[in-house]
């Protein structure tokens, strides 16, 4: 009697230590793919496990494998195992496949054989007509041509202003000989020099007569 109780208590302890969690809602993309993650908590190292998806409304089971058989009909489930979690990629989904998907994790090795199930994930599959597509409208060609003309005139105006500024800048930074004000100043200096020489000659002549 005692050995049986020990086995039962040990099995219950395994069940309490083994838990599976999963997201509440996942939406499939336009190509019919949905990705959900099943996390599990187990106290021992797992050698072999098996993953199933239980569909509540359809009342059926999808087996998740590490590689998928494309020739198989219906939805496919590809499993990728990580540390204490598995990522499940469900493909070939259509609108009728929307359902509550419950993740079932079975530990085959080491013994004893135990399993646990998550609370379920609602997989939503939208109709193709509900997927937004970009809308294309015809161009309003008169507005396009008017806009292009205005932009062209503005560009031409900017070019003219730039060329005028460069021309004036070049003239203002020319050689000194070409500056009229500089030529006038030389003339004034020359006249002052001549006047000084004339005053000197007059002064000398006055001293000589004296």
């Amino acid at each position: 009697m005692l050995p049986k109780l020990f086995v039962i208590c040990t099995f219950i302890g395994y069940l309490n230590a083994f838990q599976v969690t999963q997201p509440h809602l996942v939406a499939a993309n336009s190509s019919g793919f949905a990705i959900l993650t099943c996390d599990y908590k187990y106290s021992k190292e797992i050698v072999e496990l098996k993953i199933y998806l239980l569909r509540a409304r359809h009342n059926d089971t999808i087996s998740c494998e590490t590689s998928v058989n494309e020739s198989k009909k219906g939805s496919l489930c590809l499993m990728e195992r990580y540390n204490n979690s598995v990522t499940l990629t469900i493909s070939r989904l259509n609108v009728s496949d929307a359902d509550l998907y419950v993740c079932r994790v079975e530990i085959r090795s080491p013994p004893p054989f135990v399993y646990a199930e998550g609370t379920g994930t609602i997989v939503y599959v939208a109709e193709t007509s509900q997927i937004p597509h970009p809308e294309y409208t015809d161009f309003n060609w008169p507005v396009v041509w008017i806009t292009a003309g205005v932009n062209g005139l503005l560009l031409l105006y900017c070019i003219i202003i730039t060329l005028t500024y460069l021309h004036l800048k070049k003239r203002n930074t020319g050689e000194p000989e070409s500056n009229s004000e500089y030529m006038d100043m030389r003339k004034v200096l020359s006249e002052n020099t001549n006047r000084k020489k004339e005053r000197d000659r007059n002064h000398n002549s006055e001293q000589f007569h004296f």
Side-chain angles (χ1 to χ4, degrees):
M1 183 68 181
L2 291 177
K4 292 182 179 180
L5 290 176
F6 177 77
V7 172
I8 294 174
C9 292
T10 303
F11 183 73
I12 294 175
Y14 275 117
L15 291 179
N16 292 331
F18 188 22
Q19 298 177 356
V20 176
T21 58
Q22 59 186 112
H24 297 293
L25 177 65
V26 168
N29 61 18
S30 59
S31 300
F33 285 87
I35 299 177
L36 65 91
T37 301
C38 296
D39 299 322
Y40 53 86
K41 181 180 178 181
Y42 192 62
S43 59
K44 289 188 176 183
E45 182 180 359
I46 300 175
V47 177
E48 180 185 359
L49 60 78
K50 185 69 177 176
I51 307 294
Y52 296 96
L53 286 177
L54 312 179
R55 301 199 298 181
R57 184 171 62 86
H58 290 77
N59 194 25
D60 59 3
T61 302
I62 300 176
S63 176
C64 298
E65 309 290 343
T66 55
S67 61
V68 295
N69 184 7
E70 296 293 340
S71 61
K72 183 180 177 181
K73 295 182 179 180
S75 300
L76 302 177
C77 180
L78 178 64
M79 176 184 72
E80 292 182 76
R81 180 180 173 185
Y82 299 98
N83 187 23
N84 294 329
S85 68
V86 288
T87 299
L88 307 178
T89 303
I90 313 170
S91 58
R92 296 182 182 176
L93 293 173
N94 52 50
V95 179
S96 62
D97 290 316
D99 204 333
L100 179 68
Y101 287 68
V102 178
C103 184
R104 176 187 172 103
V105 181
E106 296 182 356
I107 297 179
R108 304 290 181 88
S109 179
F113 169 80
V114 293
Y115 72 90
E117 296 178 358
T119 56
T121 299
I122 298 175
V123 177
Y124 172 73
V125 185
E127 296 182 6
T128 305
S129 58
Q130 296 178 354
I131 301 173
H133 297 280
E135 297 181 358
Y136 300 95
T137 57
D138 295 333
F139 286 106
N140 192 343
W141 288 110
V143 175
V144 172
W145 286 114
I146 292 174
T147 305
V150 172
N151 291 334
L153 290 176
L154 291 176
L155 179 61
L156 181 61
Y157 176 76
C158 293
I159 293 174
I160 293 173
I161 294 298
T162 303
L163 293 177
T164 303
Y165 170 77
L166 294 176
H167 178 69
L168 294 175
K169 184 177 180 181
K170 183 177 180 181
R171 288 184 58 186
N172 293 333
T173 57
E175 294 296 330
E177 287 76 4
S178 63
N179 194 321
S180 59
E181 293 185 6
Y182 182 80
M183 295 299 292
D184 292 340
M185 290 300 297
R186 290 198 304 174
K187 185 177 180 180
V188 171
L189 291 175
S190 177
E191 290 178 356
N192 290 336
T193 302
N194 292 334
R195 290 176 183 175
K196 184 177 180 181
K197 289 181 179 179
E198 185 177 354
R199 285 198 302 268
D200 291 339
R201 284 198 301 270
N202 293 334
H203 180 71
N204 293 333
S205 62
E206 290 177 0
Q207 288 181 351
F208 178 75
H209 287 296
F210 179 78

Coordinates of all heavy atoms in Angstrom, one line a residue, residues 7-82:
V7 N 4.1 6.4 -5.1 CA 4.1 6.7 -6.6 C 3.0 7.7 -6.9 O 3.3 8.7 -7.7 CB 3.8 5.4 -7.3 CG1 3.5 5.7 -8.8 CG2 4.9 4.4 -7.2
I8 N 1.9 7.6 -6.2 CA 0.8 8.6 -6.5 C 1.3 10.0 -6.1 O 1.1 11.0 -6.8 CB -0.5 8.2 -5.8 CG1 -1.0 6.9 -6.4 CG2 -1.5 9.3 -5.9 CD1 -2.2 6.3 -5.6
C9 N 1.8 10.1 -4.9 CA 2.3 11.4 -4.4 C 3.4 12.0 -5.3 O 3.4 13.2 -5.6 CB 2.8 11.3 -3.0 SG 1.5 10.9 -1.8
T10 N 4.3 11.1 -5.7 CA 5.4 11.6 -6.6 C 4.8 12.1 -7.9 O 5.2 13.1 -8.5 CB 6.4 10.4 -6.9 OG1 6.9 9.9 -5.6 CG2 7.5 10.9 -7.8
F11 N 3.8 11.4 -8.5 CA 3.2 11.8 -9.8 C 2.5 13.1 -9.6 O 2.6 14.0 -10.5 CB 2.2 10.7 -10.2 CG 1.6 11.0 -11.5 CD1 2.3 10.9 -12.7 CD2 0.2 11.4 -11.6 CE1 1.7 11.2 -13.9 CE2 -0.4 11.7 -12.8 CZ 0.3 11.6 -13.9
I12 N 1.8 13.3 -8.5 CA 1.1 14.6 -8.2 C 2.1 15.7 -8.1 O 1.9 16.8 -8.5 CB 0.2 14.5 -7.0 CG1 -0.9 13.5 -7.2 CG2 -0.3 15.8 -6.6 CD1 -1.8 13.2 -6.0
G13 N 3.2 15.4 -7.5 CA 4.3 16.4 -7.3 C 4.8 16.8 -8.7 O 5.1 18.0 -8.9
Y14 N 5.0 15.9 -9.6 CA 5.5 16.2 -11.0 C 4.5 17.1 -11.6 O 4.8 18.1 -12.3 CB 5.7 14.9 -11.8 CG 7.0 14.3 -11.6 CD1 7.1 13.0 -11.0 CD2 8.2 15.0 -12.0 CE1 8.4 12.4 -10.8 CE2 9.4 14.4 -11.8 CZ 9.5 13.1 -11.2 OH 10.7 12.5 -11.0
L15 N 3.2 16.8 -11.5 CA 2.1 17.6 -12.1 C 2.1 19.0 -11.6 O 2.0 20.0 -12.4 CB 0.8 17.0 -11.9 CG 0.5 15.6 -12.6 CD1 -0.9 15.1 -12.3 CD2 0.7 15.8 -14.1
N16 N 2.3 19.2 -10.3 CA 2.3 20.5 -9.7 C 3.5 21.3 -10.2 O 3.5 22.6 -10.3 CB 2.3 20.5 -8.2 CG 0.9 19.9 -7.7 OD1 -0.1 20.1 -8.4 ND2 1.0 19.3 -6.5
A17 N 4.6 20.6 -10.4 CA 5.9 21.3 -10.9 C 5.9 21.6 -12.4 O 6.8 22.3 -12.8 CB 7.1 20.5 -10.5
F18 N 5.0 21.1 -13.1 CA 4.9 21.2 -14.6 C 3.8 22.1 -15.0 O 2.6 21.7 -14.8 CB 4.8 19.8 -15.2 CG 4.9 19.7 -16.7 CD1 5.6 20.7 -17.3 CD2 4.4 18.7 -17.4 CE1 5.8 20.7 -18.7 CE2 4.5 18.6 -18.8 CZ 5.2 19.6 -19.4
Q19 N 4.1 23.3 -15.5 CA 3.1 24.2 -15.9 C 3.4 24.7 -17.3 O 4.6 24.9 -17.7 CB 3.1 25.4 -14.9 CG 2.7 25.0 -13.5 CD 2.8 26.2 -12.6 OE1 3.2 27.3 -12.9 NE2 2.4 26.0 -11.3
V20 N 2.3 25.1 -18.0 CA 2.5 25.6 -19.4 C 1.7 26.9 -19.5 O 0.5 27.0 -19.0 CB 1.9 24.6 -20.4 CG1 2.0 25.2 -21.8 CG2 2.7 23.3 -20.4
T21 N 2.3 27.9 -20.0 CA 1.7 29.2 -20.2 C 1.8 29.6 -21.7 O 2.7 29.2 -22.4 CB 2.3 30.3 -19.4 OG1 3.7 30.4 -19.7 CG2 2.1 30.0 -17.9
Q22 N 0.8 30.4 -22.2 CA 0.8 30.8 -23.6 C 0.0 32.1 -23.7 O -0.8 32.5 -22.8 CB 0.1 29.7 -24.4 CG -1.3 29.3 -24.1 CD -1.8 28.2 -24.9 OE1 -2.0 27.1 -24.3 NE2 -2.0 28.4 -26.2
P23 N 0.2 32.9 -24.8 CA -0.5 34.2 -24.9 C -2.0 34.0 -25.1 O -2.5 32.9 -25.4 CB 0.1 34.8 -26.1 CG 0.6 33.6 -26.9 CD 1.1 32.6 -25.9
H24 N -2.7 35.1 -24.8 CA -4.2 35.0 -24.9 C -4.7 35.2 -26.3 O -5.7 34.6 -26.7 CB -4.8 36.1 -24.0 CG -4.5 36.0 -22.6 ND1 -5.0 34.9 -21.8 CD2 -3.7 36.7 -21.8 CE1 -4.6 35.1 -20.6 NE2 -3.8 36.1 -20.5
L25 N -4.0 36.0 -27.2 CA -4.5 36.3 -28.5 C -3.3 36.4 -29.5 O -2.3 37.0 -29.2 CB -5.3 37.6 -28.5 CG -5.8 38.0 -29.9 CD1 -6.8 37.1 -30.4 CD2 -6.4 39.4 -29.8
V26 N -3.5 35.8 -30.7 CA -2.5 35.9 -31.8 C -3.3 36.1 -33.1 O -4.3 35.4 -33.3 CB -1.6 34.6 -31.8 CG1 -0.8 34.6 -33.1 CG2 -0.7 34.5 -30.6
A27 N -2.8 37.0 -33.9 CA -3.4 37.2 -35.2 C -2.6 36.7 -36.3 O -1.3 36.9 -36.3 CB -3.7 38.7 -35.4
A28 N -3.2 36.0 -37.2 CA -2.4 35.5 -38.4 C -2.2 36.6 -39.4 O -3.0 37.5 -39.5 CB -3.2 34.3 -39.0
N29 N -1.1 36.5 -40.1 CA -0.9 37.5 -41.2 C -1.6 37.2 -42.4 O -2.4 36.2 -42.5 CB 0.7 37.6 -41.4 CG 1.3 36.3 -41.9 OD1 0.6 35.4 -42.4 ND2 2.6 36.2 -41.8
S30 N -1.4 38.0 -43.4 CA -2.1 37.9 -44.7 C -1.8 36.6 -45.5 O -2.5 36.2 -46.3 CB -1.9 39.1 -45.6 OG -0.5 39.2 -45.9
S31 N -0.6 36.0 -45.1 CA -0.2 34.8 -45.8 C -0.7 33.5 -45.1 O -0.4 32.4 -45.5 CB 1.3 34.7 -45.9 OG 1.8 35.8 -46.7
G32 N -1.5 33.7 -44.0 CA -2.0 32.5 -43.3 C -1.0 31.9 -42.3 O -1.1 30.7 -42.0
F33 N -0.1 32.7 -41.8 CA 0.8 32.3 -40.8 C 0.5 32.9 -39.4 O 0.2 34.1 -39.3 CB 2.3 32.6 -41.2 CG 2.8 31.8 -42.3 CD1 2.6 32.1 -43.6 CD2 3.6 30.6 -42.0 CE1 3.1 31.3 -44.6 CE2 4.1 29.9 -43.0 CZ 3.9 30.2 -44.3
A34 N 0.6 32.1 -38.4 CA 0.5 32.6 -37.0 C 1.6 32.0 -36.2 O 1.9 30.8 -36.3 CB -0.9 32.2 -36.4
I35 N 2.2 32.8 -35.3 CA 3.3 32.4 -34.4 C 2.9 32.5 -33.0 O 2.5 33.7 -32.6 CB 4.6 33.1 -34.7 CG1 5.0 32.9 -36.2 CG2 5.7 32.7 -33.8 CD1 6.3 33.7 -36.6
L36 N 2.9 31.5 -32.2 CA 2.7 31.6 -30.8 C 3.7 30.8 -30.0 O 4.3 29.9 -30.5 CB 1.2 31.1 -30.4 CG 0.9 29.6 -30.7 CD1 1.2 28.8 -29.4 CD2 -0.5 29.4 -31.0
T37 N 3.9 31.2 -28.8 CA 5.0 30.7 -27.9 C 4.3 30.0 -26.7 O 3.5 30.5 -26.1 CB 5.9 31.8 -27.4 OG1 6.5 32.4 -28.5 CG2 7.0 31.1 -26.6
C38 N 4.8 28.7 -26.5 CA 4.3 28.0 -25.3 C 5.5 27.9 -24.3 O 6.5 27.2 -24.7 CB 3.8 26.6 -25.7 SG 2.3 26.6 -26.8
D39 N 5.4 28.5 -23.2 CA 6.4 28.4 -22.2 C 6.0 27.3 -21.2 O 4.9 27.2 -20.8 CB 6.6 29.7 -21.4 CG 7.0 30.8 -22.4 OD1 7.8 30.6 -23.3 OD2 6.5 32.0 -22.2
Y40 N 7.0 26.5 -20.8 CA 6.7 25.5 -19.8 C 7.8 25.5 -18.6 O 8.9 26.0 -18.8 CB 6.8 24.1 -20.4 CG 8.0 23.8 -21.2 CD1 9.1 23.3 -20.6 CD2 8.1 24.0 -22.6 CE1 10.3 23.0 -21.3 CE2 9.2 23.7 -23.3 CZ 10.3 23.2 -22.7 OH 11.4 22.9 -23.4
K41 N 7.3 25.1 -17.5 CA 8.2 25.1 -16.3 C 8.2 23.6 -15.8 O 7.2 23.1 -15.4 CB 7.6 26.0 -15.2 CG 8.4 26.1 -14.0 CD 7.8 27.0 -13.0 CE 8.6 27.1 -11.7 NZ 8.0 28.0 -10.7
Y42 N 9.4 23.1 -15.8 CA 9.6 21.7 -15.3 C 10.9 21.6 -14.5 O 11.9 22.3 -14.8 CB 9.7 20.8 -16.5 CG 9.6 19.3 -16.2 CD1 8.5 18.8 -15.6 CD2 10.6 18.4 -16.5 CE1 8.4 17.5 -15.3 CE2 10.6 17.1 -16.2 CZ 9.4 16.6 -15.6 OH 9.3 15.3 -15.2
S43 N 10.8 20.8 -13.4 CA 11.9 20.8 -12.5 C 13.2 20.0 -12.9 O 14.2 20.2 -12.4 CB 11.4 20.3 -11.1 OG 10.9 19.0 -11.3
K44 N 13.0 19.1 -13.9 CA 14.1 18.3 -14.3 C 14.4 18.6 -15.8 O 13.7 19.2 -16.5 CB 13.7 16.8 -14.2 CG 13.6 16.3 -12.8 CD 13.4 14.8 -12.7 CE 13.5 14.3 -11.3 NZ 13.3 12.8 -11.2
E45 N 15.6 18.1 -16.2 CA 16.0 18.2 -17.6 C 15.2 17.3 -18.5 O 15.0 16.2 -18.2 CB 17.5 17.9 -17.7 CG 18.0 18.0 -19.1 CD 19.5 17.7 -19.2 OE1 20.1 17.3 -18.2 OE2 20.0 17.7 -20.4
I46 N 14.7 17.9 -19.6 CA 13.9 17.1 -20.5 C 14.7 16.6 -21.6 O 15.4 17.3 -22.3 CB 12.7 18.1 -21.1 CG1 11.9 18.6 -19.9 CG2 11.9 17.3 -22.1 CD1 10.9 19.6 -20.4
V47 N 14.5 15.3 -21.9 CA 15.3 14.7 -23.0 C 14.4 14.6 -24.2 O 14.9 14.9 -25.3 CB 15.7 13.2 -22.6 CG1 16.4 12.5 -23.7 CG2 16.6 13.3 -21.3
E48 N 13.2 14.3 -24.1 CA 12.3 14.2 -25.2 C 10.9 14.7 -24.8 O 10.4 14.4 -23.8 CB 12.1 12.7 -25.7 CG 11.2 12.5 -26.9 CD 11.0 11.1 -27.2 OE1 11.6 10.2 -26.5 OE2 10.2 10.8 -28.2
L49 N 10.4 15.6 -25.7 CA 9.0 16.1 -25.5 C 8.2 16.1 -26.8 O 8.8 16.1 -27.9 CB 9.0 17.4 -24.8 CG 9.7 18.6 -25.4 CD1 8.9 19.3 -26.5 CD2 10.0 19.7 -24.4
K50 N 6.9 16.2 -26.7 CA 6.0 16.2 -27.8 C 5.1 17.4 -27.6 O 4.6 17.6 -26.5 CB 5.3 14.9 -28.0 CG 4.5 14.8 -29.2 CD 5.3 14.8 -30.5 CE 4.4 14.6 -31.7 NZ 5.2 14.7 -32.9
I51 N 4.8 18.1 -28.7 CA 3.9 19.3 -28.6 C 2.7 19.0 -29.5 O 2.8 18.6 -30.7 CB 4.6 20.6 -29.0 CG1 5.9 20.8 -28.2 CG2 3.6 21.8 -28.8 CD1 5.7 21.0 -26.8
Y52 N 1.5 19.3 -29.0 CA 0.2 19.3 -29.7 C -0.5 20.6 -29.5 O -0.4 21.2 -28.5 CB -0.6 18.1 -29.3 CG 0.0 16.7 -29.5 CD1 0.7 16.1 -28.5 CD2 -0.2 16.1 -30.7 CE1 1.2 14.8 -28.7 CE2 0.4 14.8 -30.9 CZ 1.1 14.2 -29.9 OH 1.6 13.0 -30.1
L53 N -1.3 20.9 -30.5 CA -2.3 22.0 -30.4 C -3.7 21.4 -30.5 O -4.1 20.8 -31.5 CB -2.1 23.0 -31.5 CG -0.8 23.9 -31.4 CD1 -0.7 24.8 -32.6 CD2 -0.9 24.8 -30.1
L54 N -4.4 21.6 -29.4 CA -5.8 21.2 -29.3 C -6.7 22.3 -29.7 O -6.7 23.4 -29.1 CB -6.1 20.7 -27.9 CG -5.1 19.7 -27.3 CD1 -5.5 19.3 -25.9 CD2 -4.9 18.5 -28.1
R55 N -7.6 22.1 -30.7 CA -8.5 23.1 -31.2 C -9.9 22.8 -30.6 O -10.5 21.8 -30.8 CB -8.6 23.2 -32.7 CG -7.2 23.4 -33.3 CD -7.3 23.9 -34.7 NE -8.0 23.0 -35.6 CZ -8.2 23.2 -36.9 NH1 -7.7 24.3 -37.5 NH2 -8.7 22.3 -37.7
A56 N -10.3 23.8 -29.8 CA -11.6 23.6 -29.0 C -12.8 23.5 -29.9 O -13.6 22.6 -29.8 CB -11.7 24.7 -28.0
R57 N -13.0 24.5 -30.8 CA -14.2 24.5 -31.7 C -14.2 23.3 -32.7 O -15.2 22.7 -32.9 CB -14.3 25.8 -32.4 CG -15.6 26.0 -33.2 CD -15.8 27.4 -33.7 NE -14.7 27.8 -34.6 CZ -14.7 27.5 -35.9 NH1 -15.7 26.9 -36.4 NH2 -13.7 27.9 -36.6
H58 N -13.0 23.1 -33.3 CA -12.9 22.0 -34.3 C -12.9 20.6 -33.6 O -13.1 19.6 -34.3 CB -11.7 22.2 -35.1 CG -11.8 23.3 -36.1 ND1 -11.6 24.7 -35.7 CD2 -12.0 23.4 -37.4 CE1 -11.7 25.5 -36.7 NE2 -12.0 24.7 -37.8
N59 N -12.5 20.6 -32.3 CA -12.4 19.3 -31.6 C -11.5 18.4 -32.3 O -11.8 17.2 -32.5 CB -13.8 18.7 -31.4 CG -13.8 17.5 -30.4 OD1 -13.0 17.5 -29.5 ND2 -14.7 16.6 -30.5
D60 N -10.3 18.9 -32.6 CA -9.3 18.1 -33.2 C -7.9 18.5 -32.7 O -7.8 19.4 -31.9 CB -9.3 18.1 -34.8 CG -9.1 19.5 -35.3 OD1 -8.9 20.5 -34.5 OD2 -9.2 19.8 -36.5
T61 N -6.9 17.8 -33.2 CA -5.5 18.0 -32.7 C -4.5 18.2 -33.8 O -4.6 17.4 -34.8 CB -5.1 16.8 -31.8 OG1 -6.0 16.7 -30.7 CG2 -3.7 17.0 -31.2
I62 N -3.6 19.1 -33.7 CA -2.6 19.3 -34.7 C -1.3 19.0 -34.0 O -0.9 19.5 -33.0 CB -2.5 20.8 -35.2 CG1 -3.9 21.2 -35.8 CG2 -1.4 21.0 -36.1 CD1 -3.9 22.6 -36.3
S63 N -0.5 18.1 -34.6 CA 0.8 17.7 -34.1 C 1.8 18.6 -34.6 O 1.9 18.9 -35.8 CB 1.1 16.2 -34.5 OG 2.4 15.9 -34.1
C64 N 2.7 19.1 -33.7 CA 3.8 20.0 -34.1 C 5.1 19.3 -34.2 O 5.5 18.5 -33.3 CB 3.9 21.1 -33.0 SG 2.4 22.2 -32.9
E65 N 5.8 19.4 -35.3 CA 7.0 18.7 -35.6 C 8.1 19.7 -35.8 O 7.9 20.9 -36.0 CB 6.8 17.8 -36.8 CG 5.6 16.9 -36.8 CD 5.7 15.8 -35.7 OE1 6.8 15.5 -35.3 OE2 4.6 15.2 -35.4
T66 N 9.4 19.2 -35.7 CA 10.5 20.0 -36.0 C 10.7 20.2 -37.5 O 11.5 21.1 -37.9 CB 11.8 19.3 -35.4 OG1 11.9 18.0 -35.9 CG2 11.7 19.2 -33.9
S67 N 10.1 19.4 -38.3 CA 10.1 19.6 -39.7 C 8.7 19.3 -40.2 O 8.0 18.3 -39.7 CB 11.1 18.8 -40.4 OG 10.9 17.4 -40.2
V68 N 8.2 20.0 -41.2 CA 6.8 19.7 -41.7 C 6.8 19.0 -43.0 O 7.8 19.1 -43.8 CB 6.1 21.1 -41.9 CG1 5.9 21.7 -40.5 CG2 6.8 22.0 -42.8
N69 N 5.8 18.3 -43.3 CA 5.6 17.6 -44.5 C 4.6 18.4 -45.4 O 3.4 18.5 -45.1 CB 5.0 16.2 -44.2 CG 4.8 15.3 -45.5 OD1 5.2 15.7 -46.6 ND2 4.2 14.2 -45.3
E70 N 5.1 19.0 -46.4 CA 4.3 19.9 -47.3 C 3.2 19.2 -48.0 O 2.2 19.8 -48.4 CB 5.2 20.6 -48.3 CG 6.3 21.5 -47.7 CD 5.7 22.7 -47.1 OE1 4.5 23.0 -47.4 OE2 6.3 23.3 -46.2
S71 N 3.3 17.9 -48.1 CA 2.3 17.1 -48.8 C 1.1 16.8 -47.9 O 0.0 16.4 -48.4 CB 2.8 15.8 -49.3 OG 3.3 15.0 -48.2
K72 N 1.2 17.1 -46.6 CA 0.1 16.9 -45.7 C -0.9 18.0 -45.9 O -0.7 19.1 -46.1 CB 0.7 17.0 -44.3 CG -0.4 16.7 -43.2 CD 0.2 16.8 -41.8 CE -0.8 16.6 -40.8 NZ -0.2 16.7 -39.4
K73 N -2.2 17.5 -45.8 CA -3.3 18.5 -46.0 C -3.6 19.2 -44.7 O -3.3 18.7 -43.6 CB -4.5 17.7 -46.5 CG -4.4 17.1 -47.9 CD -5.7 16.4 -48.3 CE -5.5 15.7 -49.7 NZ -6.8 15.1 -50.1
G74 N -4.2 20.3 -44.9 CA -4.7 21.1 -43.7 C -3.5 22.0 -43.2 O -2.5 22.2 -43.8
S75 N -3.8 22.5 -42.0 CA -2.8 23.4 -41.3 C -1.6 22.6 -40.9 O -1.7 21.4 -40.5 CB -3.4 24.1 -40.1 OG -4.6 24.8 -40.5
L76 N -0.4 23.3 -40.9 CA 0.8 22.7 -40.5 C 1.4 23.4 -39.3 O 1.2 24.6 -39.1 CB 1.9 22.7 -41.6 CG 1.5 22.0 -42.9 CD1 2.5 22.2 -43.9 CD2 1.2 20.5 -42.7
C77 N 2.1 22.7 -38.4 CA 2.7 23.3 -37.2 C 4.1 23.0 -37.1 O 4.5 21.8 -37.0 CB 1.9 22.8 -35.9 SG 2.6 23.5 -34.4
L78 N 5.0 24.0 -37.2 CA 6.4 23.8 -37.1 C 6.9 24.2 -35.7 O 6.6 25.3 -35.3 CB 7.2 24.6 -38.2 CG 8.7 24.6 -38.2 CD1 9.2 23.2 -38.5 CD2 9.3 25.6 -39.2
M79 N 7.7 23.3 -35.1 CA 8.1 23.5 -33.7 C 9.6 23.9 -33.7 O 10.4 23.2 -34.3 CB 7.8 22.3 -32.8 CG 8.3 22.4 -31.4 SD 8.0 20.9 -30.5 CE 9.3 19.8 -31.2
E80 N 9.9 24.9 -32.9 CA 11.3 25.2 -32.6 C 11.5 25.3 -31.1 O 10.8 26.1 -30.4 CB 11.7 26.6 -33.2 CG 11.7 26.5 -34.7 CD 12.2 27.9 -35.3 OE1 13.4 28.2 -35.3 OE2 11.3 28.6 -35.8
R81 N 12.3 24.5 -30.6 CA 12.5 24.4 -29.1 C 13.6 25.2 -28.6 O 14.7 25.3 -29.2 CB 12.7 22.9 -28.7 CG 12.9 22.7 -27.2 CD 13.2 21.2 -26.9 NE 13.5 21.0 -25.5 CZ 13.8 19.8 -25.0 NH1 13.9 18.8 -25.8 NH2 14.1 19.7 -23.7
Y82 N 13.4 26.0 -27.5 CA 14.4 26.8 -26.9 C 14.4 26.4 -25.4 O 13.8 25.4 -25.0 CB 14.0 28.3 -27.0 CG 14.0 28.7 -28.5 CD1 12.8 28.8 -29.1 CD2 15.2 29.0 -29.2 CE1 12.7 29.2 -30.5 CE2 15.1 29.4 -30.5 CZ 13.9 29.5 -31.1 OH 13.9 29.9 -32.4

